[in-house]
Amino acid sequence: MTITSSNRRRVRDAGPSGWLAAPALAFFLVFAVVPLAGVVFLSFTSWDGLREIRLEGLASWTTVLTDPVTGNALLVTAKIVFFSFIVQAPISLLLGVFTAGSQKYRAALAVLYFLPLLLSSAAVAIAFKALLDPNFGLGPGLQVPLLIQDWLGNSDLVLFVVVFVIAWQFVPFHTLIYQGGVRQIPTSLYEAAEIDGAGRVRQFLNITLPQLKYTIITSSTLMVVGSLAYFDLIFVLTGGGPGYSTRLLPLHMYLTGFKANDMGAASALGVILIVIGLGLALLLQRLGGKNRNDSQLEGA
Amino acid sequence: MASTTQLPAAPEAPVLTHAAPRLNSRRAGRRRPNLPGGLGGWLWLAVIVLPIYYVVITSLKNQAGFFATNPMLPPAEPTLDNYRLVLENDFARYFLNSVVVTLGTVIPALFVSFMAAYAIVRGKGRFVNWTNNLFLLGLAIPLHATIIPIYWMITRAHLYDTLLALILPSIAFAIPVSVLILSNFMRDVPNELFESMRLDGCSDWAMLWRLALPMTKPAVITVGIYNALHVWNGFLFPLILTQSPATRVLPLSLWTFQGEFSVNIPAVLASVVLATLPLLVLYIVARRQLISGLTAGFSK
């Protein structure tokens, strides 16, 4: 499949051999595409992780689709994806615009803003677990009665705590994306608006937001697909509890497969996760319009 | 708040008829301080810094001090005993494992992704397009949903509980985003450069390393850093594909440490600080490169 000059008019136009892409492709095929097919296959089997894999037909699917815990996990996932997005998107957009400014103190702030990028989810989860401790954490420390709560033990509160901790960890990354996007907006647009007498809010609404369209799509896609894969943070922070209140889909998949040893059902959950992720990503791309080529849509 | 010290000329002029071009301060046109932005910025700073502050001061307390004093106050007699305890518990080995897994993933991933990006940008034809689309699809799918087949493959290959078990899938998962960033950058290398090298009789291989690589060095560094952060902090693969202390990596060690020393919260938090320290040093040394690289990498 070498892309040579065979059907090309000028020899110097010949691109490189497509085989240069082969090593990357091979890795990706073996460890991503084959498992992708594998997870579909395994969802029709029964396997405890150790013994033989046996074909079972739709048994795992029936189990998964009739199990109320699955519905609950879907609901928890939807809530976490939705609230994470609602919280993170505006904060990172505004912080991105803010840090794109050039005063020295903003640069100094930005040094600290991006610290959470360095921490592993396990570290973040452990830190917040200690911080939110009803006896030795923030609440008793600051002596604010409102803050003295069993944050992680209260099933009404815990979801919002999780959303907050996710935001704490991931807003810096999206801020960075927006900061880069804002810095690419031509200054002349603002100068023109200034001359026309447009205030800061108008400039933001009429220049910054439209110019950031593709940045918003990129960030949102990464945010949504990323939140479908949240696992480490919630696994360490709450373990899915109390009860099932933070047991979102990836965690439910892990617990079904590796704790309850039902790999067939876990694979069915994996397939559901993949379908949702792909669907949401395509939806976001569609919302963004089609006037850009694929690669830029994904990564702009 | 937003001091306009950098822009002494502008402030009172009611209409900026002809603002002198200010190339490196793009908010030059803004006259009034951005009060809400500044307030929000400082507020977010508190949100980011408070948990980090709590972790650091608590890690310096002894057990008695932890239970007795106000959690938000620094210890009267700071102690490094917790750090000693963590370091005595094989921290060095977990650290070394993390280094091996990170380098073992990042270097091959860069190598294959770079070749693939070159083929995708410069090459033409169905094979190359198809490969590119496959990688783009990989970005939109939560690949962690494929963990069960990966587990099956790794156990069948007798790689379970080895560092290679972590490295191989990590390389594959790093490829989509790496190829995307690298190819976005490589598109900006003028075609004439390649063509003139081609006329001089250069092979693809020579062009790859002597032209494309130097021209895209910032992107290569960006991709390297991004992947390194991800792999260094990765939790799911180590949780599922390894088991013994001999193959334990840092994020997993935090979690197991939390289990072993659940009553000794200062010690657990000391392990969090220690696990973050290497990245913090790296951040201090390479902050500019890291931030500008990540910004450009995702906002292009």
Side-chain angles (χ1 to χ4, degrees):
Chain A
M1 189 99 48
T2 31
I3 313 300
T4 55
S5 54
S6 54
N7 49 7
R8 223 162 281 282
R9 282 179 296 120
R10 291 174 301 168
V11 176
R12 66 192 188 115
D13 261 350
S17 160
W19 287 111
L20 285 171
L25 186 64
F27 263 108
F28 194 69
L29 284 177
V30 173
F31 289 101
V33 177
V34 169
L36 219 49
V39 75
V40 177
F41 171 75
L42 286 174
S43 73
F44 297 106
T45 67
S46 130
W47 183 39
D48 63 0
L50 294 169
R51 281 183 288 257
E52 289 289 290
I53 299 174
R54 276 179 295 113
L55 264 173
E56 281 266 330
L58 290 171
S60 295
W61 281 97
T62 319
T63 316
V64 163
L65 294 177
T66 53
D67 184 0
V69 180
T70 307
N72 182 70
L74 280 168
L75 188 68
V76 170
T77 310
K79 279 185 189 165
I80 288 179
V81 170
F82 176 75
F83 286 117
S84 300
F85 183 79
I86 294 292
V87 170
Q88 290 184 61
I91 296 180
S92 18
L93 173 63
L94 291 174
L95 279 176
V97 172
F98 178 65
T99 53
S102 52
Q103 287 97 332
K104 273 211 172 94
Y105 89 101
R106 297 195 200 189
L109 285 188
V111 171
L112 296 166
Y113 282 161
F114 299 136
L115 281 181
L117 286 174
L118 308 176
L119 275 71
S120 71
S121 292
V124 172
I126 289 171
F128 272 93
K129 233 171 143 173
L131 189 72
L132 296 171
D133 189 287
N135 299 312
F136 308 110
L138 182 73
L142 298 179
Q143 295 296 320
V144 181
L146 186 72
L147 290 178
I148 307 177
Q149 304 263 10
D150 188 6
W151 295 103
L152 299 172
N154 181 334
S155 52
D156 295 326
L157 280 177
V158 69
L159 194 90
F160 296 98
V161 175
V162 164
V163 167
F164 174 81
V165 179
I166 288 172
W168 190 88
Q169 197 188 3
F170 293 101
V171 160
F173 176 68
H174 295 280
T175 300
L176 205 60
I177 296 179
Y178 281 115
Q179 187 191 45
V182 172
R183 287 194 171 151
Q184 288 185 348
I185 301 174
T187 323
S188 56
L189 293 178
Y190 292 102
E191 284 162 3
E194 201 80 38
I195 292 167
D196 291 344
R200 199 193 316 283
V201 176
R202 279 200 73 99
Q203 289 185 17
F204 178 76
L205 293 177
N206 293 347
I207 301 174
T208 312
L209 271 188
Q211 289 284 320
L212 284 180
K213 187 175 170 194
Y214 296 109
T215 313
I216 293 172
I217 296 168
T218 307
S219 164
S220 306
T221 309
L222 290 173
M223 225 177 245
V224 169
V225 177
S227 46
L228 282 176
Y230 287 152
F231 170 83
D232 351 10
L233 189 79
I234 298 172
F235 177 75
V236 178
L237 189 65
T238 69
Y244 294 109
S245 51
T246 55
R247 186 159 167 167
L248 79 175
L249 212 50
L251 187 56
H252 185 43
M253 181 186 86
Y254 169 80
L255 294 172
T256 307
F258 294 92
K259 290 293 163 221
N261 298 321
D262 188 348
M263 294 290 187
S267 298
L269 292 166
V271 175
I272 295 175
L273 196 56
I274 290 165
V275 170
I276 295 177
L278 199 58
L280 283 176
L282 290 176
L283 182 73
L284 280 165
Q285 304 300 326
R286 191 53 51 95
L287 289 178
K290 294 175 170 181
N291 44 358
R292 270 181 134 202
N293 70 43
D294 283 345
S295 64
Q296 281 171 316
L297 271 177
E298 297 278 354
Chain B
M1 281 280 119
S3 69
T4 44
T5 45
Q6 287 195 329
L7 330 161
E12 256 96 287
V15 182
L16 283 176
T17 44
H18 209 80
R22 269 177 259 262
L23 288 175
N24 40 9
S25 65
R26 65 186 52 249
R27 287 288 170 275
R30 297 202 163 175
R31 286 150 299 177
R32 284 159 297 120
N34 181 351
L35 211 60
L39 278 176
W42 287 102
L43 188 69
W44 185 253
L45 184 71
V47 170
I48 291 292
V49 167
L50 200 64
I52 296 174
Y53 163 81
Y54 172 78
V55 168
V56 173
I57 60 159
T58 309
S59 74
L60 296 169
K61 289 178 181 175
N62 57 29
Q63 283 278 63
F66 174 69
F67 289 118
T69 56
N70 182 324
M72 288 301 138
L73 291 180
E77 297 162 15
T79 168
L80 291 174
D81 283 353
N82 299 312
Y83 289 90
R84 190 178 309 136
L85 179 67
V86 175
L87 288 170
E88 280 167 1
N89 274 277
D90 279 337
F91 186 85
R93 178 196 285 170
Y94 308 147
F95 178 84
L96 200 66
N97 283 343
S98 277
V99 171
V100 170
V101 171
T102 304
L103 291 181
T105 301
V106 171
I107 293 169
L110 264 182
F111 191 76
V112 299
S113 303
F114 188 75
M115 290 196 297
Y118 178 77
I120 284 167
V121 171
R122 299 264 309 129
K124 294 176 187 74
R126 217 179 298 158
F127 174 71
V128 168
N129 279 340
W130 184 79
T131 306
N132 190 31
N133 289 338
L134 187 70
F135 290 154
L136 289 175
L137 208 61
L139 280 178
I141 295 175
L143 286 174
H144 285 110
T146 60
I147 188 71
I148 291 166
I150 290 176
Y151 170 78
W152 179 81
M153 285 163 62
I154 291 291
T155 47
R156 287 308 292 263
H158 300 287
L159 289 173
Y160 181 74
D161 206 22
T162 65
L163 293 182
L164 202 58
L166 304 179
I167 290 171
L168 291 175
S170 299
I171 294 175
F173 280 33
I175 285 171
V177 78
S178 308
V179 171
L180 178 81
I181 297 177
L182 290 171
S183 58
N184 271 347
F185 264 79
M186 227 179 277
R187 284 204 181 87
D188 292 347
V189 179
N191 231 356
E192 292 78 34
L193 291 176
F194 289 107
E195 284 173 1
S196 64
M197 274 189 94
R198 176 72 83 197
L199 287 177
D200 290 344
C202 266
S203 67
D204 277 328
W205 197 246
M207 293 207 282
L208 192 63
W209 301 116
R210 284 202 257 132
L211 176 61
L213 183 63
M215 295 291 280
T216 55
K217 207 174 129 208
V220 173
I221 294 172
T222 295
V223 171
I225 291 172
Y226 181 77
N227 289 334
L229 268 177
H230 256 259
V231 177
W232 182 272
N233 287 334
F235 185 82
L236 185 62
F237 284 159
L239 179 70
I240 286 173
L241 302 174
T242 67
Q243 161 181 61
S244 62
T247 54
R248 198 173 288 162
V249 291
L250 278 181
L252 201 59
S253 81
L254 293 180
W255 181 64
T256 52
F257 204 71
Q258 185 194 231
E260 286 166 41
F261 294 87
S262 53
V263 284
N264 192 347
I265 292 177
V268 173
L269 294 182
S271 73
V272 167
V273 175
L274 273 181
T276 309
L277 226 43
L279 287 177
L280 188 68
V281 172
L282 205 69
Y283 182 61
I284 291 167
V285 174
R287 190 184 70 86
R288 249 166 230 291
Q289 179 70 55
L290 189 147
I291 297 292
S292 64
L294 284 181
T295 311
F298 284 97
S299 311
K300 226 174 147 60

